[in-house]
Amino acid sequence: MKFLHAADIHLDSPLKGLEEYEGAPVDVIRGAPRRALENLVDLAIRESVDFVVIAGDLYDGDWRDFNTGMFFVRQMSKLREAGIRIYLIAATTMPLTR
């Protein structure tokens, strides 16, 4: 059995304050999570994994627009079409109590 695991993807994170760094490739850095998810999907298909686990923060709060969700759905559709299951594990901010 083969699987891939990813965590804390933070799709379309605004990365506040990035513009403060002179010469920072802002657009390239902000696009990195999308490229990482595309690479993960491509690798899963190429390696014919049985399933993909995505844990933790898939997004940073609310989407700025629906393009974030549409992008995610397109990537997950590629996995579905390849017969690869997807398991999402959401992080919670619930305090641990005794």
Side-chain angles (χ1 to χ4, degrees):
M1 179 176 291
K2 288 176 20 177
F3 70 94
L4 284 176
H5 170 268
D8 297 315
I9 293 175
H10 296 277
L11 274 179
D12 293 344
S13 173
L15 297 169
K16 294 177 184 169
L18 193 57
E19 293 88 359
E20 295 175 22
Y21 296 94
E22 186 177 330
V26 175
D27 292 334
V28 172
I29 293 170
R30 284 201 174 119
R34 280 189 179 218
R35 287 190 310 281
L37 184 59
E38 288 171 330
N39 290 338
L40 176 81
V41 168
D42 291 345
L43 179 63
I45 293 168
R46 191 169 58 249
E47 293 293 325
S48 299
V49 301
D50 296 296
F51 61 93
V52 172
V53 176
I54 300 176
D57 299 324
L58 182 55
Y59 307 104
D60 275 353
D62 294 333
W63 304 336
R64 289 179 286 173
D65 61 46
F66 284 101
N67 287 316
T68 301
M70 296 299 291
F71 171 78
F72 181 71
V73 167
R74 282 192 304 273
Q75 296 307 308
M76 296 304 100
S77 293
K78 290 179 185 178
L79 293 175
R80 186 193 59 204
E81 289 167 10
I84 298 171
R85 293 184 175 266
I86 305 114
Y87 296 96
L88 300 177
I89 302 170
T92 76
T93 56
M94 236 165 60
L96 297 176
T97 58
R98 293 182 184 235

